[in-house]
Amino acid sequence: QVTLVEAGGGSVQAGGSLRLSCEVSTGYIYARYAMAWFRQAPGKEREGVAAIGSDGSTGYADSVKDRFIISRDNAKKVLYLQMNNLNPEDTAIYYCAADPYGGEWHFEGWRYIHLGQGTQVTVSS
């Protein structure tokens, strides 16, 4: 059984920062997962925000490039998302997702078969 538990969400003003974390419990080797952060705003479809492959490669949505940084600690089985210079358009529920087949980073939603419960991020202007 695989569980993903996000933490670190909250409310900030525009220009502020937050750091999300996702603790992964699995009987599989965490380092072999490709991991990603997705988000879903009210009335919008879920979108990929940042992803990191099992090979360490990283990728970002254009809207968050140069503001967000994804990282992972394989020893602790934790995924992070450092979010800087937040703006109201970043308001959404953020989900941690895991792809057990690994490989390089990607945003193919169907491959991320494990999903956390989400954490709310609210940015006010």
Side-chain angles (χ1 to χ4, degrees):
Q1 184 174 351
V2 179
T3 58
L4 289 73
V5 180
E6 301 97 336
S11 297
V12 295
Q13 289 192 326
S17 298
L18 283 173
R19 189 192 195 201
L20 304 183
S21 63
C22 171
E23 292 192 12
V24 180
S25 296
T26 177
Y28 191 52
I29 299 173
Y30 171 70
R32 293 183 179 175
Y33 286 93
M35 301 293 298
W37 290 96
F38 288 81
R39 69 184 180 187
Q40 188 165 19
K44 294 187 177 181
E45 292 188 356
R46 189 174 298 168
E47 63 173 351
V49 175
I52 184 166
S54 56
D55 61 354
S57 60
T58 58
Y60 299 90
D62 288 343
S63 60
V64 307
K65 275 181 183 176
D66 301 323
R67 298 190 298 122
F68 289 12
I69 301 172
I70 189 171
S71 61
R72 64 192 297 167
D73 185 327
N74 288 337
K76 295 182 179 179
K77 298 184 182 180
V78 181
L79 179 72
Y80 300 101
L81 185 67
Q82 177 66 44
M83 304 187 295
N84 301 319
N85 193 21
L86 286 160
N87 59 61
E89 289 69 40
D90 296 316
T91 295
I93 299 176
Y94 284 71
Y95 298 90
C96 171
D99 165 17
Y101 296 99
E104 65 180 6
W105 76 271
H106 65 87
F107 284 142
E108 297 292 332
W110 64 273
R111 289 177 55 181
Y112 289 98
I113 62 174
H114 305 295
L115 200 68
Q117 82 288 350
T119 185
Q120 177 70 47
V121 171
T122 303
V123 185
S124 58
S125 56

